[in-house]
Amino acid sequence: EDKVVQSPLSLVVHEGDTVTLNCSYEVTNFRSLLWYKQEKKAPTFLFMLTSSGIEKKSGRLSSILDKKELSSILNITATQTGDSAIYLCAVPTSGTYKYIFGTGTRLKVLA
Amino acid sequence: EPEVTQTPSHQVTQMGQEVILRCVPISNHLYFYWYRQILGQKVEFLVSFYNNEISEKSEIFDDQFSVERPDGSNFTLKIRSTKLEDSAMYFCASSPTGFTGELFFGEGSRLTVL
């Protein structure tokens, strides 16, 4: 069965810390992996990864895919209180038209 | 910046009533979805839609659910006879590049069934 597992489930850090969030997946025919930030309501798109080893970067956030390890990491440097959110990872399942989501990592950044 | 819009933002209904949740996807997107998230749980796939027909639906999407694209802009989710367990946040999403491309979500419609 296809699945997505994220770790840790939750994380509390102080402003200025760097965090690394993990996403592992098991799908038969990998095509892409998406990262989202969910604050109060809708997940907001962060990155789409399709190729192993190529880092995607946006400001203090970056992400990279490792197809050999069937995983991806999301890094946030110099964290701010505004980074507090649930970070979701999603992967399209094999031969279907849907994404499955992990349970997310709840990040809390303290001032 | 173009965005997916959903209405209503919150609907409270009695068990057994019909509800329609509305979505306006981003205008040049062709792939549409409904997802839902029960409080504290994962985001779950309900249905995907392309070329005016359902491409795939989940086990959750039973005969009580239907989707429609009545005109060139709206995309609706209807629940015919709501149950308590239908209480959730319902997200509409659209994608420009196909079923493995980026998904852009609306702000969601919170459905509370009493």
Side-chain angles (χ1 to χ4, degrees):
Chain A
E1 183 184 336
D2 295 334
K3 64 179 178 181
V4 175
V5 178
Q6 292 185 246
S7 63
L9 289 180
S10 65
L11 195 53
V12 180
V13 300
H14 288 92
E15 271 193 320
D17 288 348
T18 293
V19 297
T20 299
L21 311 182
N22 297 282
C23 175
S24 299
Y25 58 88
E26 288 180 28
V27 292
T28 306
N29 184 23
F30 178 83
R31 289 166 287 176
S32 60
L33 184 147
L34 306 186
W35 281 100
Y36 286 88
K37 177 183 182 182
Q38 186 176 28
E39 295 176 88
K40 290 179 184 172
K41 285 191 176 179
T44 305
F45 175 77
L46 295 175
F47 299 112
M48 182 171 83
L49 303 165
T50 55
S51 299
S52 209
I54 297 175
E55 186 182 54
K56 292 275 182 95
K57 200 169 168 65
S58 176
R60 296 177 292 102
L61 277 66
S62 63
S63 184
I64 195 161
L65 179 68
D66 186 339
K67 286 187 183 178
K68 193 174 174 186
E69 295 296 324
L70 305 183
S71 66
S72 172
I73 59 170
L74 175 69
N75 280 317
I76 309 174
T77 58
T79 50
Q80 302 170 357
T81 54
D83 296 326
S84 296
I86 297 173
Y87 290 84
L88 301 172
C89 165
V91 176
T93 55
S94 309
T96 69
Y97 302 109
K98 66 182 183 187
Y99 278 89
I100 51 171
F101 283 77
T103 50
T105 293
R106 183 181 293 275
L107 173 65
K108 187 171 178 64
V109 182
L110 303 175
Chain B
E1 188 174 326
E3 57 182 22
V4 177
T5 57
Q6 289 186 240
T7 55
S9 57
H10 188 195
Q11 180 156 359
V12 180
T13 190
Q14 295 290 324
M15 194 167 55
Q17 295 296 303
E18 175 183 286
V19 298
I20 297 177
L21 307 178
R22 293 183 168 80
C23 169
V24 180
I26 296 172
S27 63
N28 62 344
H29 289 190
L30 299 175
Y31 302 83
F32 313 119
Y33 312 79
W34 285 99
Y35 282 80
R36 80 172 186 189
Q37 189 175 32
I38 295 171
L39 190 63
Q41 297 187 23
K42 284 186 187 184
V43 175
E44 301 176 287
F45 169 81
L46 291 178
V47 65
S48 57
F49 191 88
Y50 170 70
N51 204 25
N52 284 321
E53 59 183 28
I54 290 174
S55 300
E56 186 170 0
K57 55 187 181 181
S58 72
E59 292 171 355
I60 303 166
F61 195 89
D62 61 21
D63 292 344
Q64 294 300 314
F65 290 86
S66 62
V67 289
E68 204 174 46
R69 189 157 161 81
D71 53 42
S73 59
N74 290 286
F75 180 50
T76 62
L77 174 70
K78 182 193 289 187
I79 309 174
R80 287 191 188 83
S81 178
T82 49
K83 303 188 280 275
L84 295 176
E85 54 265 37
D86 294 327
S87 295
M89 181 72 92
Y90 288 82
F91 292 111
C92 175
S94 67
S95 174
T97 54
F99 291 118
T100 56
E102 305 97 317
L103 282 181
F104 294 93
F105 285 86
E107 286 289 300
S109 292
R110 180 168 294 287
L111 175 64
T112 302
V113 182
L114 302 177

